[in-house]
Amino acid sequence: MVPARLSVVTLAAGSVGELRAFYGRLGWPEVPGSGDRWAGFLLGGAVLALYPEQSLAAEAAPGETAGAWRGVTLAINVDSRAAVDEAYASALDAGARAVAEPQERPWGGRSAYFADPEGNRWEIAYAAVAELGPRGEVVGFG
């Protein structure tokens, strides 16, 4: 089963540093570990993440032509590495299109990507730094 939750919205950033500064000026609290290569802001139970455009495209749209992907991913954080694989298989069984098989990521977690029928990218991720509450909401990050 794919959990019914939204944990992270990731924006593909041309300049993580510039976007980070902008959201900082809004007064949004950064999560620990934020920097100019990746930044996150805890927003009422979910995380807004900023990730370099090229790096995010390599994960969420491997092999696709420029412009075919919208530059935004929605993430469902799960409690274990095994849960990534289970939820990914459930998504494919429900009619999702495979984008990136479950795999270990350079940032230390495990994730997979699928696309819904209109091409929106969903990531199923396990990240040890994501602290989830009883409803799957993000209560801490980092």
Side-chain angles (χ1 to χ4, degrees):
M1 179 172 114
V2 178
R5 64 177 75 145
L6 178 63
S7 310
V8 179
V9 174
T10 302
L11 301 178
S15 171
V16 172
E18 287 180 27
L19 279 181
R20 177 182 178 215
F22 168 76
Y23 290 111
R25 288 191 301 270
L26 293 180
W28 293 4
E30 282 191 38
V31 300
S34 288
D36 287 343
R37 293 180 49 194
W38 175 91
F41 301 85
L42 188 56
L43 306 177
V47 172
L48 172 66
L50 309 174
Y51 202 57
E53 186 173 16
Q54 298 296 335
S55 299
L56 189 58
E59 283 189 18
E64 293 195 25
T65 59
W69 175 59
R70 295 182 178 117
V72 174
T73 63
L74 306 166
I76 299 163
N77 279 70
V78 294
D79 296 327
S80 69
R81 294 176 187 284
V84 170
D85 299 54
E86 294 163 8
Y88 180 74
S90 292
L92 298 184
D93 288 345
R97 180 172 58 84
V99 173
E101 299 285 326
Q103 58 193 274
E104 299 300 311
R105 297 290 183 185
W107 42 264
R110 182 172 180 77
S111 77
Y113 287 87
F114 67 87
D116 71 14
E118 293 192 359
N120 297 298
R121 295 303 198 280
W122 284 86
E123 179 185 24
I124 300 169
Y126 168 74
V129 298
E131 182 183 348
L132 304 178
R135 294 174 294 133
E137 74 277 18
V138 178
V139 297
F141 204 89

